[in-house]
Amino acid sequence: VFKYPQTSTRGTVTAFSPFDARADAEALRKAMKGMGTDEDTILKILTSRNNAQRQEIASAFKTLFGRDLVDDLKSELTGKFETLMVSLMRPTYIFDAHALKHAIKGAGTNEKVLTEILASRTPAEVRNIKQVYLQEYEANLEDKITGETSGYFQRMLVVLLQANRDPDGRVDEGLVEQDAQVLFRAGELKWGTDEEKFITILGTRSVSHLRRVFDKYMTISGFQIEETIDRETSGDLEKLLLAVVKCIRSVPAYFAETLYYSMKGAGTDDDTLIRVMVSRSEIDLLDIRQEFRKNFAKSLHQMIQKDTSGDYRKALLLLCGGDDE
């Protein structure tokens, strides 16, 4: 039996009260029965219940009608709206494992998904993902990932998959200085780059230690560590190291940026938009909204409003919650 991860208080979606799983199941059945579908009822119910309650609704739905709620949603809905509703129904504990499974199956690997999940999740979350992956898919996640990746990108992913980052504790200024010097010598001062040093330090030191290392690095080199990574590495490794650095600095700021770039410019990366909105809705979406407003001179609400349409937009805006004018 899986315990749902402790939900943080900084989500936009919280437990609905008074909650009646049977009444919700009946309303959803009515919304999908016969000719036509009442999308409005579906999206209002599913965005205003938390994940644990959605599981209870699915269970009541099966009890009352002998039907599978997710299968019914899939047959009644289409497109991005369908993807969003089905994602909301996915049990929290399996969400990341499922995303990773789909990122490494079939032709081509989705490095963006591997990077986003493994850079942003805590060691405890990564351990949980590995366990769930093994139980649900009867496969070893690390083996699957190493089979589909290579080079230093692969090595950094493997380091993150070990989930052995030092826990936060008292920061030793001497070690901070030492790590900052090692990174400076491995990058800016060296012809070529010693990627392994970056991988070890960024992948294993504690969050509080690394924040001090980044400050010290700036003092020693005159550069932000991001600038050095940008100049000294490239491709998937560069994206992964940058994601790790950003998450060390602030996970909500990292996701604000991820959401911004999923919508900026021509076309929208809907998979990323849906994955982040759903996976952070009960954790830190309020903090993400704050960072978004601070860093991009517009609110997340405004950008979703401008960039999406129809029931899909309506549901995303409800997940987003308020507008931070």
Side-chain angles (χ1 to χ4, degrees):
V1 174
F2 284 96
K3 291 195 297 299
Y4 284 87
Q6 185 56 49
T7 40
S8 126
T9 49
R10 301 294 299 158
T12 52
V13 175
T14 52
F16 183 82
S17 174
F19 173 60
D20 180 343
R22 288 199 164 196
D24 285 347
E26 279 164 357
L28 287 170
R29 176 68 182 128
K30 189 170 168 229
M32 293 188 278
K33 202 175 176 176
M35 291 297 290
T37 306
D38 171 6
E39 287 87 359
D40 217 52
T41 295
I42 297 172
L43 70 88
K44 283 193 173 126
I45 292 176
L46 296 187
T47 58
S48 61
R49 310 298 187 261
N50 71 10
N51 193 279
Q53 291 175 325
R54 291 180 211 123
Q55 306 315 318
E56 288 185 51
I57 295 169
S59 158
F61 196 88
K62 196 163 273 185
T63 297
L64 295 172
F65 314 116
R67 302 176 68 93
D68 186 283
L69 176 54
V70 174
D71 289 347
D72 280 9
L73 290 168
K74 285 178 175 169
S75 72
E76 294 292 325
L77 311 176
T78 55
K80 299 175 276 207
F81 180 57
E82 175 195 341
T83 307
L84 177 56
M85 293 300 106
V86 170
S87 297
L88 285 171
M89 289 306 304
R90 191 162 294 124
T92 303
Y93 80 85
I94 198 182
F95 194 90
D96 288 342
H98 179 274
L100 289 170
K101 173 151 174 74
H102 286 267
I104 45 193
K105 84 172 219 217
T109 307
N110 188 336
E111 291 83 6
K112 185 184 258 179
V113 176
L114 299 186
T115 294
E116 178 196 302
I117 293 178
L118 292 174
S120 65
R121 302 311 191 250
T122 64
E125 286 168 335
V126 173
R127 283 193 287 271
N128 190 48
I129 290 167
K130 291 196 294 187
Q131 187 194 338
V132 171
Y133 201 94
L134 191 58
Q135 255 161 311
E136 296 288 329
Y137 305 123
E138 299 181 343
N140 178 301
L141 176 59
E142 189 185 314
D143 292 347
K144 288 285 174 199
I145 287 177
T146 51
E148 295 294 330
T149 55
S150 62
Y152 288 112
F153 175 62
Q154 179 199 76
R155 292 205 223 162
M156 184 64 183
L157 290 173
V158 170
V159 168
L160 294 170
L161 278 166
Q162 302 318 298
N164 281 329
R165 185 178 294 288
D166 298 335
D168 273 338
R170 200 181 57 77
V171 174
D172 179 331
E173 286 301 326
L175 290 176
V176 166
E177 171 86 38
Q178 193 183 326
D179 277 350
Q181 290 286 358
V182 167
L183 289 173
F184 186 41
R185 287 198 296 273
E188 296 291 345
L189 288 188
K190 190 171 161 39
W191 193 83
T193 310
D194 184 352
E195 289 90 351
E196 198 161 272
K197 297 279 195 291
F198 281 83
I199 289 171
T200 301
I201 291 173
L202 294 176
T204 63
R205 306 292 195 260
S206 76
V207 171
S208 45
H209 173 86
L210 282 170
R211 286 177 182 162
R212 292 287 305 116
V213 170
F214 299 160
D215 293 343
K216 179 65 77 180
Y217 185 86
M218 180 79 198
T219 311
I220 292 172
S221 70
F223 297 117
Q224 293 287 14
I225 187 83
E226 289 92 336
E227 297 175 76
T228 295
I229 291 169
D230 189 36
R231 263 200 304 276
E232 299 287 331
T233 60
S234 63
D236 294 326
L237 174 67
E238 177 190 338
K239 293 190 190 107
L240 179 55
L241 292 177
L242 285 174
V244 169
V245 168
K246 284 166 186 168
C247 289
I248 294 292
R249 290 195 192 273
S250 161
V251 168
Y254 168 72
F255 281 117
E257 188 181 319
T258 303
L259 285 169
Y260 179 76
Y261 286 107
S262 76
M263 293 182 277
K264 187 187 185 306
T268 302
D269 175 357
D270 293 292
D271 287 340
T272 296
L273 179 55
I274 291 169
R275 190 174 56 251
V276 175
M277 292 296 289
V278 173
S279 65
R280 307 315 287 187
S281 61
E282 293 182 44
I283 301 175
D284 55 2
L285 195 49
L286 288 172
D287 297 326
I288 292 168
R289 268 171 40 189
Q290 241 172 338
E291 291 290 337
F292 197 100
R293 183 73 192 79
K294 191 173 84 191
N295 298 332
F296 300 111
K298 55 163 84 76
S299 69
L300 176 58
H301 195 280
Q302 286 159 345
M303 198 153 181
I304 292 171
Q305 180 82 44
K306 192 172 114 309
D307 216 76
T308 59
S309 63
D311 296 315
Y312 177 54
R313 167 164 71 189
K314 230 183 266 185
L316 285 171
L317 289 175
L318 285 171
L319 280 181
C320 176
D323 186 358
D324 312 284
E325 285 293 3

